[in-house]
Amino acid sequence: MRFDVFSLFPEVMQEYVQTSILGRARQADLIDVRLHNIRDYAADKHRTTDDVPFGGGGGMVMKPEPIFSALEAVLGEDLNSVRIVLLTPQGRPFKQSVAKDYSKQKRLALICGRYEGVDERVRQHLATDEVSVGDYVLTGGEIPALLVIDATARLLPGVLGDELAATQDTYARGLLEHAHYTRPADFRGWLVPEILRSGDHARIEAWRHEDSLRRTLHRRPDLLRAIELSDEDRVFLEKLNHKGP
Ligand code: ADE
């Protein structure tokens, strides 16, 4: 899958996409991440990419021309078929379901805003999607773009070494993931639950499932309302509700 990211500070993303799982996925040609500097597409002598807002007020606004030129040049004939994501705190919340949807695309373009914002015509006439990574305001869309790439790329076949990992992890099933332990079994007197060391896979699976339910109930009860639970799960949760954490 190919990602084209448009930013005034592409260099801040370089290291991340070259490291660890994303770096390996790039080397294996599973993903192709291209970082583009919007400033390279500014046509004037000073390579201006922002300007004062019409109507006055503080801050600067990113100009539309360099952004349109950059995407037109890079996307070429794909311009009208590729999903073009504008990262903005006003966008729809980025969730696992959105990452899953994006992972089915062959190509994705991401536009990172800076300053007070991006000229409205980019939103209206260029972007196909607007995405927010949370209810807080960052100084730019670069971290959000990395977040979208990371969450999307790890769902692509072959990107995670262990194919099972992406289907079992937090949110894939709508529940938070169970606890993980590794060696040593006794660390400073804090013991790994006996069941996990028993070798009894059926009991281990049951323990993990219950741990997922317990964690989700205590940390994100809102998630439980959004999924279908078995009768067994309901009984288990009901018992926990009466017992408390
Ligand atoms: N740019 C600044 N804040 C953002 C957010 N929360 N999500 C996406 N893009 C942003």
Side-chain angles (χ1 to χ4, degrees):
M1 176 172 177
R2 175 164 162 172
F3 299 89
D4 288 283
V5 192
F6 298 85
S7 160
L8 289 174
F9 304 99
E11 62 282 358
V12 303
M13 294 177 275
Q14 193 70 55
E15 188 74 23
Y16 192 81
V17 297
Q18 282 173 354
T19 305
S20 185
I21 290 172
L22 292 188
R24 256 179 283 138
R26 277 183 102 183
Q27 273 175 353
D29 279 335
L30 297 169
I31 58 169
D32 181 4
V33 185
R34 311 261 181 114
L35 306 173
H36 310 281
N37 195 331
I38 293 168
R39 194 173 298 283
D40 293 342
Y41 298 87
D44 66 314
K45 192 168 79 202
H46 301 291
R47 303 214 294 160
T48 316
T49 55
D50 59 339
D51 208 336
V52 294
F54 272 114
M60 299 294 272
V61 177
M62 282 174 73
K63 290 165 68 61
E65 310 96 303
I67 301 178
F68 272 81
S69 298
L71 274 95
E72 282 159 3
V74 171
L75 299 184
E77 57 188 30
D78 283 349
L79 187 72
N80 293 318
S81 56
V82 168
R83 300 275 281 276
I84 300 174
V85 182
L86 176 64
L87 283 318
T88 161
Q90 299 189 10
R92 71 169 162 148
F94 186 64
K95 296 189 171 175
Q96 190 68 22
S97 55
V98 182
K100 203 163 175 190
D101 178 23
Y102 288 164
S103 72
K104 293 175 188 146
Q105 307 292 314
K106 280 215 307 273
R107 191 173 184 183
L108 196 67
L110 300 124
I111 305 172
C112 307
R114 279 261 155 187
Y115 314 121
E116 275 311 292
V118 176
D119 187 283
E120 182 67 7
R121 288 159 292 187
V122 171
R123 191 185 72 71
Q124 283 183 343
H125 304 294
L126 188 60
T128 61
D129 298 30
E130 293 176 70
V131 164
S132 164
V133 298
D135 291 343
Y136 38 77
V137 181
L138 300 164
T139 55
E142 287 75 13
I143 292 173
L146 286 177
L147 211 141
V148 170
I149 294 170
D150 193 298
T152 304
R154 66 188 288 290
L155 296 177
L156 298 172
V159 168
L160 294 184
D162 178 0
E163 291 280 327
L164 213 59
T167 57
Q168 293 211 336
D169 60 18
T170 294
Y171 294 116
R173 294 169 306 158
L175 292 174
L176 300 184
E177 210 181 356
H178 57 78
H180 299 274
Y181 292 92
T182 185
R183 280 187 279 261
D186 178 349
F187 173 63
R188 300 186 178 178
W190 299 310
L191 301 179
V192 171
E194 190 54 46
I195 289 181
L196 298 181
R197 299 160 58 198
S198 68
D200 181 339
H201 292 292
R203 279 180 71 216
I204 291 172
E205 268 321 298
W207 182 91
R208 286 181 167 165
H209 184 62
E210 289 186 352
D211 196 50
S212 280
L213 288 168
R214 188 182 304 114
R215 279 170 180 246
T216 311
L217 176 70
H218 294 149
R219 296 166 188 223
R220 293 291 306 275
D222 55 303
L223 296 178
L224 290 176
R225 285 188 283 279
I227 59 166
E228 273 191 33
L229 293 165
S230 68
D231 292 344
E232 241 177 342
D233 289 349
R234 276 180 212 290
V235 170
F236 178 74
L237 288 167
E238 197 54 37
K239 260 196 297 194
L240 284 181
N241 255 334
H242 293 306
K243 255 200 322 216

